[in-house]
Amino acid sequence: MPSSDIGLDKTLAALGVTESAQVVARFAEVRAHFDGQFTTVHDESEWKLFRDRWLGRKSGVLTQITDNWLKPATAELKRAVGQQLNELRAHVETQIEARRAAIETGAEETALARDRVDLSLPGVIRPIGSRHLIRQVFQEIEDIFFSIGFSVVEGPEIETPYYNFEALNIPEFHPVRDDMDTFYLELPPSPDKKAAPTPLLLRTHTSPMQIRTMEKQKPPVRIIVPGKVYRRDNPDATHSFAFHQVEGLAVDTDITFCDFTGTIEYFVKQFFGPSVKTRFRPSYFPFTEPSVEFDVSCPFCGGTGASNGTTCSKCKGAAWIELFGAGMVDPAVYGFVNYDAKKISGFAFGMGIDRLAMLKYGIDDIQVFFQNDVRFLRQFP
Ligand code: PHE
């Protein structure tokens, strides 16, 4: 409302007001303006503007009335103007104060409503993770070996050729290196420019930990080594360039091939159940002598090669499943760790965990272990 609309910028004389009845009428008009504007004030910022427009000391409506109407009023009208102005001021001040209180409680109510806890709303669901199937199988295997006196050690996934090959009796140009060819790391040049950097590689098996453990401790040794290993394999349903193994090593003064077969059989029966049968076939590893491949009778067809009248899909009719490589530790290996090959003996084995897990849980593609698809993972809570 421009104040000129109701003549606030002019004196009463200029507005032609000469009688107190006209004064009353003028003030009634101002009050009507006030009441009209008042209905548009809803929140704190509108309220502040409105208060300043009416009560502002410099140019508020009441100040203008004082300056333009009251002060220059004629002696006859001054009393009436003064009285009207007081009434108007009282009205304006009470109304403005009342509106402030109303806005404040209104805001409080909205805040209260906003903060009110609705106990009927569903809570925040925090999904609980579970251990990966491979981890679970590691744990199962560890528990079985714990129960017969083995302890767990872990080792580096990045190895030197010495631990991965040489100390395991695999010299540089030995043909078995071809099977295990793996990923070598590209190394920064050594600070001593003349020295060639020691090559490093991703370990191809957990066997280097046989050497690292025997270097550190004297017999007796009874360890298993769970961990990841790497080979330059093309991925398919049974191959992956990264997979998992559990290595085992037992060395003491009196360990025989019988201890070896007994331990392995115990493990397999604990893992697959007491009805599986076991067999050894001669094999070759440079770090065991004699070396064997260890098979179990197929747990799916009960070692018959057939299930439900057709060829068993798990063992492909062979009735046996190849489980892992093993053997008595080759005496040459003891030479690398300063053990006296004449006084001690031992056995070692290495099993592929992914394969074991696939067999036990009926999984037909190794890739699912690495894809982390929750639909798969949820099946093994
Ligand atoms: N390291 C061998 C492999 O990965 C397995 C093995 C371990 C064989 C220990 C004999 C003894 O194929």
Side-chain angles (χ1 to χ4, degrees):
M1 171 203 70
S3 29
S4 54
D5 281 8
I6 43 174
L8 292 181
D9 52 345
K10 299 194 180 78
T11 61
L12 290 175
L15 291 166
V17 174
T18 49
E19 288 169 21
S20 50
Q22 284 174 300
V23 171
V24 174
R26 280 276 158 189
F27 272 93
E29 205 181 315
V30 176
R31 187 171 171 146
H33 267 282
F34 174 84
D35 292 341
Q37 281 186 4
F38 188 65
T39 53
T40 65
V41 177
H42 298 298
D43 61 26
E44 203 184 319
S45 59
E46 285 171 357
W47 176 85
K48 275 188 181 148
L49 279 175
F50 184 72
R51 178 199 58 191
D52 294 345
R53 197 177 304 135
W54 283 87
L55 297 174
R57 269 180 213 288
K58 273 206 185 127
S59 55
V61 172
L62 295 184
T63 306
Q64 286 187 54
I65 293 180
T66 312
D67 291 348
N68 300 338
W69 288 4
L70 180 68
K71 286 183 184 160
T74 54
E76 305 89 77
L77 289 183
K78 206 160 214 150
R79 220 179 110 83
V81 177
Q83 197 185 344
Q84 286 298 310
L85 181 56
N86 283 345
E87 272 172 29
L88 178 67
R89 181 183 300 281
H91 176 68
V92 166
E93 281 176 355
T94 10
Q95 290 299 312
I96 283 182
E97 173 54 25
R99 181 50 57 106
R100 188 195 59 76
I103 288 173
E104 220 164 67
T105 30
E108 260 168 36
E109 265 165 26
T110 2
L112 266 181
R114 200 176 44 232
D115 295 346
R116 195 169 296 137
V117 179
D118 182 351
L119 295 175
S120 69
L121 284 172
V124 179
I125 295 162
R126 283 177 211 283
I128 295 174
S130 61
R131 277 185 298 171
H132 193 281
L133 182 59
I134 292 291
R135 253 300 129 218
Q136 296 179 33
V137 172
F138 269 143
Q139 190 66 53
E140 266 181 71
I141 295 171
E142 286 169 21
D143 288 346
I144 297 170
F145 281 102
F146 274 151
S147 71
I148 49 173
F150 282 72
S151 49
V152 174
V153 296
E154 285 185 28
E157 287 170 28
I158 295 176
E159 267 298 2
T160 61
Y162 176 77
Y163 286 108
N164 198 76
F165 298 123
E166 272 112 73
L168 286 161
N169 205 26
I170 314 174
E172 188 162 0
F173 295 106
H174 196 290
V176 298
R177 283 215 189 184
D178 294 346
D179 296 340
M180 291 203 176
D181 210 1
T182 184
F183 304 99
Y184 284 81
L185 275 67
E186 218 166 78
L187 297 166
S190 78
D192 171 9
K193 293 271 180 327
K194 273 170 263 149
T198 322
L200 289 176
L201 49 89
L202 297 183
R203 66 179 176 192
T204 59
H205 49 179
T206 39
S207 303
M209 279 310 287
Q210 291 188 28
I211 306 299
R212 287 184 179 276
T213 309
M214 288 191 283
E215 272 182 352
K216 271 207 219 107
Q217 94 186 55
K218 293 278 145 227
V221 171
R222 264 184 207 85
I223 53 149
I224 53 167
V225 189
K228 282 201 197 74
V229 301
Y230 303 85
R231 285 184 205 177
R232 218 186 49 191
D233 283 337
N234 288 324
D236 63 20
T238 52
H239 292 85
S240 163
F241 55 81
F243 58 101
H244 304 83
Q245 284 192 333
V246 170
E247 188 84 8
L249 175 70
V251 181
D252 206 342
T253 46
D254 52 0
I255 291 190
T256 66
F257 199 85
C258 282
D259 296 314
F260 166 50
T261 54
T263 307
I264 298 300
E265 263 173 47
Y266 173 78
F267 163 71
V268 169
K269 293 199 157 138
Q270 291 289 311
F271 191 79
F272 285 109
S275 57
V276 290
K277 291 193 285 293
T278 55
R279 78 173 182 193
F280 293 92
R281 282 177 297 114
S283 184
Y284 172 74
F285 298 101
F287 40 95
T288 46
E289 182 62 35
S291 300
V292 298
E293 288 288 343
F294 181 81
D295 298 346
V296 279
S297 58
C298 176
F300 299 97
C301 58
T304 58
S307 78
N308 300 330
T310 53
T311 310
C312 171
S313 64
K314 297 296 193 275
C315 65
K316 312 267 181 322
W320 294 92
I321 290 180
E322 191 183 307
L323 263 197
F324 50 85
M328 299 304 286
V329 178
D330 192 308
V333 171
Y334 296 130
F336 288 95
V337 295
N338 289 324
Y339 276 17
D340 185 346
K342 291 202 189 69
K343 291 204 185 108
I344 47 132
S345 55
F347 62 82
F349 55 86
M351 47 190 156
I353 301 314
D354 310 75
R355 197 176 149 69
L356 231 53
M358 286 165 78
L359 277 175
K360 183 158 178 176
Y361 295 98
I363 295 158
D364 50 19
D365 185 355
I366 192 174
Q367 303 302 330
V368 294
F369 291 135
F370 306 100
Q371 287 159 349
N372 273 345
D373 186 331
V374 285
R375 288 169 303 179
F376 167 71
L377 300 175
R378 279 209 186 107
Q379 294 174 46
F380 306 96

